[in-house]
Amino acid sequence: MTRVLITGGAKGLGQACVRTALTDGCHVTVLDADANGLTQLPAGVSAIYADLADAAELRSAINRLSASEPFDIVIMNAGINATGPFETLPVERQAKLIAVNLTAPMALTTALIQADKIARDGRLVFVSSLSHFVSYPGASTYAGTKDGLTIFARSLRRPLRRSLGIRVQVVAPGPMDTDHATEHSPSPDDRRARVAPAFVADAIWRNRSGFLIVPGMAANGVSILGRLLPGVAGRIMRRMIFEKLQVRTPVQDTHSAREQSSLHALHPDQFLTEEP
Amino acid sequence: MKRQTANRLLRTYLVTGASSGIGLAVVKQLCAQGHRVIGTGRRSGTSLPVDYPDIDYRAVDLTEAAAIERFIDDQIVGLDRAILCAGAGFYRGIEEECVSDVEHIVSINFTAQIRLAHGLYGKLAARHGRLGLVGSVAHKRAAAMPVYAATKAALDGFGRALALEWQDRVAVRVLHPGPTRTGMAERAGRPADWLTKLMLPPHAVADMVIDGLEADRGYRRTISYGRYLARLPLRAVR
């Protein structure tokens, strides 16, 4: 039976991946920081509770995984976001973001490889973001973590394929119809432009060989624009995301103070949410 | 050189990683140009070499959030430029990596840079300043050092987004030096060989870092061998 490990599998894209894997008859292990969500997983799914932002819990998760049977498919999906002007976001939240989005997947990969817990011909899939191609002003630290994760995967791709036969892949989904995306979108009510997480999970399942998986025509178009005209893509992202977020979040800045004065003062914390 | 110095505006620079490598070379260059320099590094002030430039130097442990905050609050008054050079890495594949080193490298190469950028924003914005992040050509990929490459790619992606956010307030530039003869490669575990001799000289890289920070457009600049060779005749004329 195919054994699958999914981090952040209690909600959003991770949850969609769990469903797809179960439909395919796999045995699924979920690692998540959402204790409540873990109890609501379908029957037969193994749950490991760990807040990946916590170094001690990360280590205990590593110990649990090192004692388990090898996995055929590992999906490093757990991620959080924090949106708003960089200087107004509390720096501790950004440090936590780095721990969950970048440090944890690299540490888990290190531990799994060294304990020989990814089967030969297995797949190691990292969930990155379309922001890798077009940048993400308004979530600068998040953009950094996703670029870091993508290049980590790119660096591992050949060595792991050659020495252990493991296929490393990266998924770069655009905005999805998940709580995560909704809370961080500058226009939360507009759901038309977002793809269903099940669609992305399905794309992960079907693409067993290519390195980069960009699910959907729209996301593909955006990624091509970002690669061909990175400067233009960045400016569009600034207008579409950052400038709208600026209106939502107060900025202690003289330039935008005038525009802000008529709006209700909102606390930046309102836009900080976690969904590991 | 003298005339140039007199014409150029004298500024206050902050340089991290100033106790060795590219950071040290940047400090020397800035001092030669007559700028005021505040430097930080891992080493304590007393253990610096005797010929260390006469600057305001503080030892700051970048893995400690409180130390960074304290340093910015207490030591930085008026700042025009910040050049963040501090970085660390191990030359090893994933099979030889260890979890605590992954955490350490991310915290120095990425988290500390976020903390510094966050803390320095107000001071830099007040003077329409510039923030320089020193990355590495490894930001594109490096099979021999995946964790280091990831942190430098993270720095690049962060710089790209931040440059768009701050575009009219603080200019952000990410400067990616190619292999430089700083001894970092050997400390990272890469054996010295004939290639070591061909690496870029630190003083030339420092020059290009300082100039690259003043670039008008483009958030990213790669400090490549080609760029170094192209500058050689220019140096000779000066």
Side-chain angles (χ1 to χ4, degrees), chain B residues 13 18 27 48 66 79 106 109 111 131 145 161 170 195 203 230 238:
Chain B
Y13 276 82
V27 166
L48 292 171
L79 187 67
V106 175
N109 290 4
T111 315
L131 172 69
M145 40 201 320
V170 176
L195 266 173
H203 68 86
R238 273 189 196 168

Side-chain angles (χ1 to χ4, degrees), chain A residues 86-136:
Chain A
F86 170 72
E87 64 279 8
T88 65
L89 290 174
V91 76
E92 285 316 317
R93 304 305 290 265
Q94 310 208 42
K96 186 177 173 185
L97 179 80
I98 297 167
V100 175
N101 290 15
L102 185 61
T103 314
M106 294 206 292
L108 286 171
T109 303
T110 301
L112 287 170
I113 294 290
Q114 287 179 4
D116 209 9
K117 291 300 171 197
I118 306 181
R120 214 181 157 78
D121 290 321
R123 293 169 64 193
L124 173 57
V125 186
F126 293 94
V127 177
S128 176
S129 161
L130 201 54
S131 75
H132 176 62
F133 299 104
V134 294
S135 188
Y136 194 173

Side-chain angles (χ1 to χ4, degrees), chain B residues 61-222:
Chain B
D61 180 358
L62 292 180
T63 59
E64 263 188 65
I68 295 175
E69 254 172 59
R70 221 179 310 124
F71 166 73
I72 293 174
D73 290 346
D74 300 352
Q75 307 298 330
I76 312 277
V77 190
L79 187 67
D80 301 292
R81 301 287 183 267
I83 304 182
L84 310 184
C85 302
F90 295 103
Y91 189 83
R92 55 164 89 124
I94 199 74
E95 280 103 333
E96 292 90 46
E97 198 47 81
C98 88
V99 170
S100 57
D101 285 342
V102 172
E103 291 169 328
H104 182 69
I105 299 301
V106 175
S107 83
I108 290 187
N109 290 4
F110 193 45
T111 315
Q113 315 306 318
I114 301 277
R115 291 186 188 282
L116 284 163
H118 200 266
L120 292 170
Y121 169 72
K123 320 235 174 197
L124 286 170
R127 291 216 200 166
H128 233 77
R130 283 171 179 263
L131 172 69
L133 307 169
V134 176
S136 158
V137 285
H139 80 91
K140 288 190 170 169
R141 96 166 68 168
M145 40 201 320
V147 175
Y148 179 79
T151 58
K152 292 304 187 181
L155 197 62
D156 182 86
F158 166 68
R160 182 184 180 193
L162 195 63
L164 288 164
E165 284 196 26
W166 288 0
Q167 59 184 20
D168 36 18
R169 295 168 278 164
V170 176
V172 180
R173 299 285 178 266
V174 190
L175 309 152
H176 295 293
T180 308
R181 219 181 302 135
T182 58
M184 184 185 184
E186 285 78 56
R187 283 199 303 278
R190 184 187 176 280
D193 53 18
W194 59 274
L195 266 173
T196 313
K197 284 185 196 148
L198 280 178
M199 286 182 178
L200 294 163
H203 68 86
V205 172
D207 256 354
M208 291 186 270
V209 164
I210 296 165
D211 288 358
L213 180 57
E214 304 303 321
D216 285 335
R217 28 186 329 163
Y219 81 94
R220 176 200 288 159
R221 179 174 283 195
T222 303

Side-chain angles (χ1 to χ4, degrees), chain A residues 22-193:
Chain A
L22 289 175
T23 316
D24 210 26
C26 305
H27 177 268
V28 181
T29 305
V30 167
L31 191 156
D32 208 298
D34 178 2
N36 195 30
L38 284 175
T39 60
Q40 287 160 24
L41 286 168
V45 175
S46 312
I48 299 176
Y49 170 83
D51 181 357
L52 295 176
D54 184 292
E57 289 187 24
L58 172 64
R59 273 170 181 69
S60 71
I62 284 172
N63 290 339
R64 288 272 305 268
L65 292 172
S66 303
S68 75
E69 294 276 301
F71 297 99
D72 301 286
I73 302 175
V74 175
I75 304 178
M76 298 285 184
N77 160 76
I80 55 176
N81 196 358
T83 46
F86 170 72
E87 64 279 8
T88 65
L89 290 174
V91 76
E92 285 316 317
R93 304 305 290 265
Q94 310 208 42
K96 186 177 173 185
L97 179 80
I98 297 167
V100 175
N101 290 15
L102 185 61
T103 314
M106 294 206 292
L108 286 171
T109 303
T110 301
L112 287 170
I113 294 290
Q114 287 179 4
D116 209 9
K117 291 300 171 197
I118 306 181
R120 214 181 157 78
D121 290 321
R123 293 169 64 193
L124 173 57
V125 186
F126 293 94
V127 177
S128 176
S129 161
L130 201 54
S131 75
H132 176 62
F133 299 104
V134 294
S135 188
Y136 194 173
S140 291
T141 305
Y142 175 89
T145 61
K146 291 301 184 185
D147 278 11
L149 198 61
T150 308
I151 296 306
F152 180 64
R154 217 174 255 292
S155 304
L156 289 184
R157 185 189 178 191
R158 265 192 211 127
L160 286 189
R161 186 89 186 114
R162 279 194 194 142
S163 62
L164 301 169
I166 296 167
R167 214 178 271 282
V168 177
Q169 295 175 294
V170 165
V171 197
M176 280 179 283
D177 204 357
T178 58
D179 298 350
H180 173 107
T182 308
E183 279 168 69
H184 294 288
S185 163
S187 46
D189 304 322
D190 186 11
R191 311 190 87 139
R192 279 170 307 167

Side-chain angles (χ1 to χ4, degrees), chain A residues 236-247:
Chain A
I236 294 173
M237 286 298 280
R238 182 186 151 96
R239 199 170 304 162
M240 279 177 50
I241 311 275
F242 181 63
E243 287 172 9
K244 288 186 186 165
L245 284 170
Q246 265 186 317
V247 178

